[in-house]
Structure formats: structure tokens, C-alpha cells
Amino acid sequence: MQASVQAFFEPVTGTVSYVVYDRDGGHAAIVDPVLDYDPKSGRTRTTSAEALVGFVREHKLAVQWILETHAHADHLSAAAWLRQQVGGKVAIGEKITEVQRIFAGVFDLGDDFARDGSQFDHLFAAGERFSVGELTAEALFVPGHTPADIAYRIGDAVFVGDTLFMPDVGSARCDFPGGDAATLYRSAKALLALPDTTRLFMCHDYPPAGRAPSWETTVAEQRRANIHLNDGVSEADFVALREARDAKLEMPVLILPSVQVNIRAGELPPKSANGVAYLKIPLNLM
Ligand SMILES: [Fe+2]
């Protein structure tokens, strides 16, 4: 069954969020919602997430799921705020526990930070089936960018997370803690083994000069034209090119704030005694 898909492009971080639904008046999943964050002032805003709420209300959708493809390192998740507004279960891949363990070390989080994924309402196992209204759906385990990435197939649409990018951009980086280029290659090849006409929806777009942002492509187009992962690129070629490129990339501007919020399912850290929540900055570690 064909899923209805509405994309929302957030230009500051190049992130694409989605509302996926079966029909007007039916059921929906929200994929990778963004909580706006200004690093200069430390202030969060819900402008981007409010657009999702507006769409959900306009189309009279019952939100069943708020799906994270992974613990993002470039933007904060609006999942916790959205659940208060429109409901739905906040879900991520079950290997998030590994990411929580890694970053509990990086941020020296104490015993009150649970590393069992319990901040989320649901943890998906590889290949787990679920539904969005009348649409069948499946959690596809696609590690490599992080150890925990999930792509979501909902109806005929696949939300690939940070695996493939648009054909002229290529692929997601693999140099964050727990990332691995060979693993990403195998995950991407599994996605590209889906039927040629499968609609693929990107998590990000960083368009080259002169091209407008875009986020939808197909398996056939990626196999033909993806600059990192077309059918002619071997695993060894990919690993060499991905690792050379990653060695030159700076950390994302928002990695430190993002990860601290996203491993908590989009909740801000607990408030201090003065009623203010704080983020930590590890010095000379990353
Ligand atoms: Fe990411």
C-alpha cells in the first residue's frame, strides 16, 4: 500500500523530518523531528516541530509513532515535546543501549542515567514488524553511521536515516564513536537490494551549490548514480573513500548538545537545584 509522505526540511542542520500516514483522518508516524536549538544562547524552540503538529491537526491524523532513525549528532530531537502535543510512542533501535553506554562515558553521566533504553517507549529489534494504521511497516537494522541505526519501511516508502544521501552527495559519515564504514556499506547494500521502484526518503540533504534541497529518490536511481554507493563501488573502495573523507570533516556544530538530549529520547537533562537544565562540554576528548 502506498504511504502518504509529507516532508519538512529544516535548513539550519539540513535535516528532513516526515509525517507518514495512511489517509486523511487516519493514522500517522512522525520520523526524525527537530527541536530547534540556538547554540549562542542555549535556547530551544519548537518552531520546526510546530509545523509537524499543524500538519497532523490539519489532516486529522492520530499519531501512533514518533520514530528516531538513530541518536542524531547534528540536531536535537523534538520527540519528547511532540509526544506531549500529539501523543505516539517514541521509538528507536534496541542497540541505542550501546550508544547510551558510549556517551554515558563521554559525558560522565552518573548512575541516575539509565543505559537500558528505558527513556524510549519502544525499542525496535532488527526486522521487527509494526503498523501505521493500514500500512504495514518494518524496522530495518542499518548500522555503520552509529551502532544503532534503523531504517523504517512504511508501506512502499523507506526512511533510510543516515546511510545513503542523495546520489550527488553520497553517504553518511562513519567516524562517530561506534561508527564503521564497512558496516555502513553492507547496510546500504541491503537497502539497495529492495525493489528498484522503492521510494527512498533521506534524513538529510546538503545540496551542492546550484541545486535546491531534495530528499526523495529510488533504489534504481541510487544504484545507478550514487557517487559513493553505486553498483560499481566495492566495499574496499567505499571504505577507503569514506575514511579519507571522514578524516577531513569537522565535528557537527551541535554534536555535544544533540547527543546529550537525544540519548534521553529528546528530554533535556534533569534540572539543577536552581531549576535550570545544563549541558556538559567535555574538554579535549572528542
Ligand atoms: Fe546522524
Side-chain angles (χ1 to χ4, degrees), residues 207-212:
R211 168 163 84 61

Side-chain angles (χ1 to χ4, degrees), residues 73 97-110 113 115 147 175-179 251 254-261 263-264 279-286:
T97 54
E98 196 169 321
V99 177
Q100 288 179 321
R101 186 180 50 74
I102 291 169
F103 284 103
V106 168
F107 293 108
D108 192 28
L109 302 177
F113 175 73
R115 291 125 163 105
D175 59 329
F176 295 153
M251 284 288 119
L254 297 184
I255 185 170
L256 296 172
S258 297
V259 171
Q260 290 175 77
V261 169
I263 58 175
R264 294 180 163 99
L279 294 166
K280 288 184 177 178
I281 297 182
L283 297 176
N284 303 317
L285 182 68
M286 298 295 282

Side-chain angles (χ1 to χ4, degrees), residues 70 72-74 145 162 204:
H70 62 293
H72 304 274
D74 65 292
H145 171 66
D162 281 5
H204 289 290

Side-chain angles (χ1 to χ4, degrees), residues 174-175 180-182 237-248:
C174 297
D175 59 329
D180 182 71
D237 291 343
F238 175 76
V239 170
L241 104 85
R242 187 67 260 171
E243 290 182 350
R245 177 150 170 67
D246 287 347
K248 294 189 197 138

